[in-house]
């Protein structure tokens, strides 16, 4: 698998570290326990399109949101977390 | 006080020769990392151009003037090599001395790309990786910088991994040279 790093271009998967679902960027604004429980522990396991966080560890060092399909392995694109998340 | 002798990271390891291939150590002198603060990249480039004649490189590139090189090393990061940083980057960038942290190698000769093709998961053939290209990638499991400059491939790795880095490349050189020799 190759991933399109917005900075480096298309690179081999070995250069990337997989973090997990991009829902991690959507922090609950309230202190409500259920919201935080879902944020920390509950994940979808989609057969199809998914958005994940990857770290271009052996490349530029940027965090990237990659959209891909878990069934076909098609990679649709990637954006920098920096551009998508104000934090 | 005793007079101390500086020993380069690859002093007892290099050069390595195999057929047409040569792996040698480059002594770049001072290495300074430059990490522009948010929104200051243009100002950093202007300061570097005024003081040294090279700009801050675009991603996957290096800028050079004579022996002086400014090598892209990651997101908002570049290494100035071959000269002291004389520009005043106060307030514009985070600057650190990296001189003793890295081993710098040059791999040259016919088949140099074939050697790194066995170790690096990136296309380093001249068509995809021309003179002046500089990327961060892996060599085996080591994070490195690879650049094409001065008629060869420059590989920079952490000094702490110098022996492994040289051994990995030397083994691949032996394989490529043996295959070339076998016709």
């Amino acid at each position: 698998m190759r991933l399109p790093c917005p900075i480096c271009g298309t690179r081999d998967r070995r250069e990337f570290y997989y973090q997990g679902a991009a829902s991690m960027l959507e922090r609950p604004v309230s202190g409500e326990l259920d919201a935080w429980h879902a944020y920390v522990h509950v994940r979808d396991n989609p057969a199809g399109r998914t958005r994940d966080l990857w770290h271009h560890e052996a490349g530029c060092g940027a965090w990237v949101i990659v959209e891909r399909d878990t069934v076909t392995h098609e990679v649709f694109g990637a954006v920098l977390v920096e551009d998508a998340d104000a934090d | 006080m005793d007079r101390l002798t500086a020993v380069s990271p690859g002093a007892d390891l290099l050069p390595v020769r195999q057929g047409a291939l040569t792996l040698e150590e480059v002594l770049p002198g001072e290495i300074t990392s430059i990490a522009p603060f948010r929104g200051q990249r243009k100002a950093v480039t202007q300061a570097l151009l005024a003081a040294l004649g090279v700009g801050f490189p675009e991603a996957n590139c290096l800028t050079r003037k004579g022996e002086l090189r400014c090598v892209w090393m990651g997101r908002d990061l570049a290494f100035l090599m071959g000269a002291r940083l004389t520009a005043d980057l106060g307030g514009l960038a985070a600057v650190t001395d990296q001189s003793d942290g890295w081993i710098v190698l040059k791999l040259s000769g016919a088949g140099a790309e074939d050697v790194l093709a066995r170790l690096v998961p990136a296309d380093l053939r001249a068509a995809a990786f021309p003179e002046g290209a500089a990327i961060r990638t892996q060599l085996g499991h080591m994070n490195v910088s690879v650049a094409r400059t001065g008629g060869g491939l420059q590989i920079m790795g952490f000094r702490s991994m110098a022996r492994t880095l040289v051994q990995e490349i030397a083994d691949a050189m032996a394989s490529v040279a043996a295959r070339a020799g076998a016709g």
Side-chain angles (χ1 to χ4, degrees):
Chain A
M1 184 164 80
R2 290 192 288 174
L3 299 176
C5 174
I7 294 175
C8 299
T10 301
R11 291 299 189 84
D12 193 273
R13 183 199 56 79
R14 280 172 282 176
E15 293 184 5
F16 293 83
Y17 168 78
Y18 176 75
Q19 171 64 41
S23 64
M24 264 177 224
L25 297 175
E26 292 146 23
R27 281 169 282 274
V29 284
S30 75
E32 196 202 333
L33 192 61
D34 283 352
W36 276 96
H37 171 74
Y39 170 69
V40 174
H41 298 295
V42 180
R43 293 286 178 272
D44 292 331
N45 186 20
R49 279 208 184 217
T50 177
R51 290 171 76 245
D52 298 313
L53 292 177
W54 295 77
H55 183 216
H56 198 185
E57 185 185 23
C60 59
W63 281 94
V64 178
I65 304 168
V66 177
E67 187 163 1
R68 66 192 175 95
D69 193 306
T70 57
V71 176
T72 64
H73 302 302
E74 185 178 356
V75 176
F76 300 106
V79 294
L80 293 176
V81 170
E82 185 183 23
D83 295 340
D85 185 69
D87 291 346
Chain B
M1 186 180 155
D2 287 335
R3 200 172 272 251
L4 301 177
T5 307
V7 178
S8 72
D12 58 343
L13 305 171
L14 297 155
V16 175
R17 291 196 175 81
Q18 286 284 356
L21 297 158
T22 303
L23 181 68
E24 56 201 328
E25 184 171 21
V26 177
L27 299 174
E30 289 186 40
I31 304 175
T32 309
S33 80
I34 303 170
F37 297 137
R38 190 180 290 258
Q40 299 294 346
R41 227 175 92 165
K42 196 173 272 185
V44 167
T45 276
Q46 284 166 354
L48 287 175
L49 277 173
L52 296 162
V54 295
F56 191 87
E58 296 293 321
N60 302 324
C61 294
L62 60 81
T63 54
R64 74 177 297 171
K65 185 187 179 192
E67 288 303 298
L68 181 68
R69 296 185 298 289
C70 195
V71 184
W72 182 82
M73 289 294 282
R75 177 172 161 262
D76 298 327
L77 182 67
F79 279 7
L80 182 72
M81 301 165 61
R84 172 160 295 198
L85 176 64
T86 49
D88 179 11
L89 299 181
L92 300 178
V95 174
T96 60
D97 177 22
Q98 299 277 340
S99 307
D100 293 328
W102 295 77
I103 180 169
V104 186
L105 304 171
K106 183 178 170 186
L107 179 63
S108 55
E113 293 85 357
D114 300 333
V115 172
L116 291 192
R118 293 172 177 238
L119 299 165
V120 175
D123 188 354
L124 300 178
R125 292 172 297 177
F129 195 73
E131 179 76 23
I135 60 169
R136 292 302 304 269
T137 185
Q138 285 183 317
L139 192 147
H141 286 180
M142 288 171 284
N143 289 7
V144 295
S145 152
V146 181
R148 188 186 293 278
T149 177
L153 291 165
Q154 173 184 284
I155 303 137
M156 291 178 64
F158 301 131
R159 183 179 186 144
S160 59
M161 299 178 185
R163 195 169 292 272
T164 308
L165 184 64
V166 171
Q167 184 181 332
E168 290 281 322
I169 299 170
D171 284 353
M173 287 167 70
S175 297
V176 169
R179 180 157 285 227

